[in-house]
Amino acid sequence: MSLDHSPTGSLIEYNDDIEEAMSPNQSVAAVAVKDGDASVYKIIHGFLKQKNNSIIRVAASVAKKAASNKLSRKTSDVFDTLIQQQQSKLGNKTGPLLSGISYCIASCSMILLNKVVLSSYNFNAGVSLMLYQNLISVAILLSLEFFSVISTEQLTWKLIKVWIPVNLIFVGMLVTGMYSLKYINVAMVTILKNMTNILTALGEIYVFRKGQNKQVWAALFMMIISAVCGGMTDLSFHLIGYIWQILNCFLTAAYSLTLRRLMDTAKQSTKSGSLNEVSMVLLNNALSIPFAVILIVVFNEWEYVYQTEVIREPMFWLFATASGLLGLAISFSSVWFLQETGPTTYSLVGSLNKIPISVAGVILFNVPVSMENLFSIVFGLFAGIFFAKAKMSKS
């Protein structure tokens, strides 16, 4: 239903919706209008235009009672059909917004907490931290499933084989993100992550044959300039950290594209023919555990973790556990947001929380910033906002 406010257009579209909802029972609606009940429909339509669910319910209840002596059961069902259709449309509009906000809050908080654990406590075992976070997520999910709070899809070898490529990229994305965050300040990490948007946009052209408009490419070019200038003026520049971050950008783009591409195949590999968000999160976190253990042995992290004194500090475990809980939150919100939007929007939405996270990162961790570097950061933030606006205007 169009939400156009012109009187003529509203009546036409209102009658069209009634006919569509009643089909093939159009005669019932005609009888209702003939009996003088068209005013009832007009009342409901007026409330639908205001998008107020509570008012819709009240109006529907009053109208149905007032017309109960004249309307047949089939005619009464028109109200339920119209209301359900409108509420479904409203849900489709609020879904991307709510999932985007959840993703921003979770990712922003987790970046700051991971920075505290890795840098402030000088914890040199990023893979071990990832393993601990994933164990927390799996334990919570299995507990919720045991008490029948949630339901997950039964794991089968067919499903696992389909999901392994996604999980390998997922593990690589987390590990490279951990190590880059250890060496690079939060503000520069957020700006360098803009490179992910460029790779994702290119990937969408190749994988999904989805082109971008000129404004999007202009914003991408601005992001490249800000990233290069930011690296050149970074007073705390660390080559190893930048290498880790470049790898992270490639893996993050590959993750969003691969996840979107394999979702349908994964659903076909389940017994029920569907795969909900909870099952996807459990798959990612559970399958990453054996890969994390292998990496810990290869990098000899287990010996470092056993000998380091930091693991004996209660506050360290508090921050590490909190980051694990946020890891579960970001897993849910990222899958939810990706399903509601698309790969490019998923990677670009970070522009919404880059400003507060950059400011918080500079202030909380006392990062030395030159005027040139500050300008590069601000320019990168502006490019991210311009990019998001260009994507919205395109859609």
Side-chain angles (χ1 to χ4, degrees):
M1 181 190 297
S2 173
L3 297 177
D4 180 71
H5 291 280
S6 63
T8 305
S10 296
L11 286 174
I12 293 173
E13 288 148 4
Y14 144 73
N15 287 328
D16 289 341
D17 275 342
I18 291 178
E19 292 177 2
E20 181 181 354
M22 290 300 299
S23 181
N25 300 308
Q26 297 176 351
S27 59
V28 180
V31 171
V33 174
K34 181 179 179 181
D35 289 342
D37 292 324
S39 59
V40 176
Y41 289 100
K42 292 178 182 179
I43 293 173
I44 296 300
H45 179 258
F47 285 122
L48 289 175
K49 286 173 62 179
Q50 298 178 21
K51 306 180 187 179
N52 192 314
N53 286 341
S54 60
I55 294 178
I56 290 171
R57 295 191 188 96
V58 174
S61 177
V62 173
K64 286 165 90 174
K65 289 180 180 178
S68 59
N69 294 329
K70 298 180 180 179
L71 299 180
S72 67
R73 177 60 183 170
K74 291 182 179 180
T75 307
S76 180
D77 288 342
V78 175
F79 294 113
D80 294 330
T81 304
L82 288 176
I83 292 167
Q84 290 173 1
Q85 288 177 351
Q86 184 67 15
Q87 289 176 339
S88 177
K89 291 177 183 178
L90 292 176
N92 292 336
K93 293 179 180 179
T94 58
L97 177 62
L98 292 177
S99 59
I101 292 175
S102 301
Y103 174 69
C104 285
I105 293 175
S107 61
C108 177
S109 302
M110 190 172 183
I111 288 176
L112 294 175
L113 278 179
N114 281 341
K115 183 66 175 178
V116 170
V117 174
L118 294 169
S119 295
S120 299
Y121 285 94
N122 197 28
F123 188 64
N124 297 317
V127 181
S128 299
L129 178 59
M130 181 198 72
L131 174 62
Y132 180 65
Q133 293 172 345
N134 291 343
L135 286 172
I136 291 176
S137 298
V138 172
I140 292 175
L141 291 175
L142 292 179
S143 299
L144 292 175
E145 184 178 23
F146 178 79
F147 290 105
S148 301
V149 177
I150 61 173
S151 61
T152 60
E153 189 68 33
Q154 182 179 356
L155 297 183
T156 62
W157 280 113
K158 185 179 180 181
L159 176 60
I160 291 174
K161 285 188 292 185
V162 171
W163 202 261
I164 280 180
V166 177
N167 192 253
L168 286 173
I169 300 173
F170 175 75
V171 172
M173 180 183 70
L174 293 183
V175 172
T176 54
M178 291 283 189
Y179 283 108
S180 66
L181 193 58
K182 176 177 175 57
Y183 296 108
I184 307 177
N185 68 74
V186 174
M188 280 307 303
V189 166
T190 59
I191 298 305
L192 292 173
K193 279 183 177 293
N194 280 337
M195 303 301 293
T196 302
N197 303 331
I198 301 170
L199 297 171
T200 305
L202 293 172
E204 280 195 330
I205 295 176
Y206 177 75
V207 177
F208 300 109
R209 298 295 187 267
K210 183 178 179 181
Q212 311 294 340
N213 60 32
K214 293 181 180 180
Q215 288 182 326
V216 170
W217 289 116
L220 288 171
F221 182 69
M222 292 167 61
M223 290 178 177
I224 295 175
I225 294 176
S226 67
V228 173
C229 294
M232 294 175 62
T233 58
D234 187 2
L235 297 179
S236 56
F237 178 86
H238 199 292
L239 179 60
I240 295 178
Y242 272 71
I243 293 175
W244 281 117
Q245 184 54 52
I246 292 173
L247 290 174
N248 179 258
C249 290
F250 276 95
L251 290 169
T252 303
Y255 174 72
S256 63
L257 293 167
T258 306
L259 181 62
R260 184 65 178 269
R261 186 176 185 180
L262 292 181
M263 272 186 180
D264 292 336
T265 305
K267 289 178 181 179
Q268 296 171 2
S269 302
T270 62
K271 293 183 177 180
S272 65
S274 63
L275 189 64
N276 58 30
E277 297 168 7
V278 178
S279 299
M280 293 181 189
V281 174
L282 181 60
L283 266 174
N284 262 340
N285 286 278
L287 293 181
S288 65
I289 292 175
F291 294 123
V293 172
I294 293 174
L295 291 175
I296 288 173
V297 173
V298 171
F299 292 151
N300 203 32
E301 276 195 7
W302 65 271
E303 187 174 351
Y304 165 81
V305 173
Y306 179 76
Q307 295 177 352
T308 186
E309 294 292 329
V310 72
I311 63 171
R312 294 167 178 80
E313 298 184 25
M315 288 302 297
F316 169 81
W317 287 108
L318 176 64
F319 285 119
T321 303
S323 67
L325 296 174
L326 284 171
L328 180 59
I330 200 173
S331 295
F332 275 116
S333 59
S334 62
V335 172
W336 178 25
F337 187 57
L338 185 60
Q339 287 183 329
E340 291 285 347
T341 56
T344 300
T345 306
Y346 166 78
S347 62
L348 291 177
V349 77
S351 62
L352 299 175
N353 68 340
K354 281 178 180 176
I355 295 177
I357 195 176
S358 298
V359 173
V362 172
I363 296 176
L364 293 176
F365 301 102
N366 297 320
V367 178
V369 181
S370 64
M371 286 302 298
E372 294 83 0
N373 187 243
L374 181 61
F375 176 78
S376 300
I377 294 173
V378 173
F379 186 73
L381 295 173
F382 173 77
I385 296 173
F386 180 68
F387 199 175
K389 186 176 180 181
K391 292 295 294 181
M392 290 173 64
S393 63
K394 178 184 176 182
S395 58

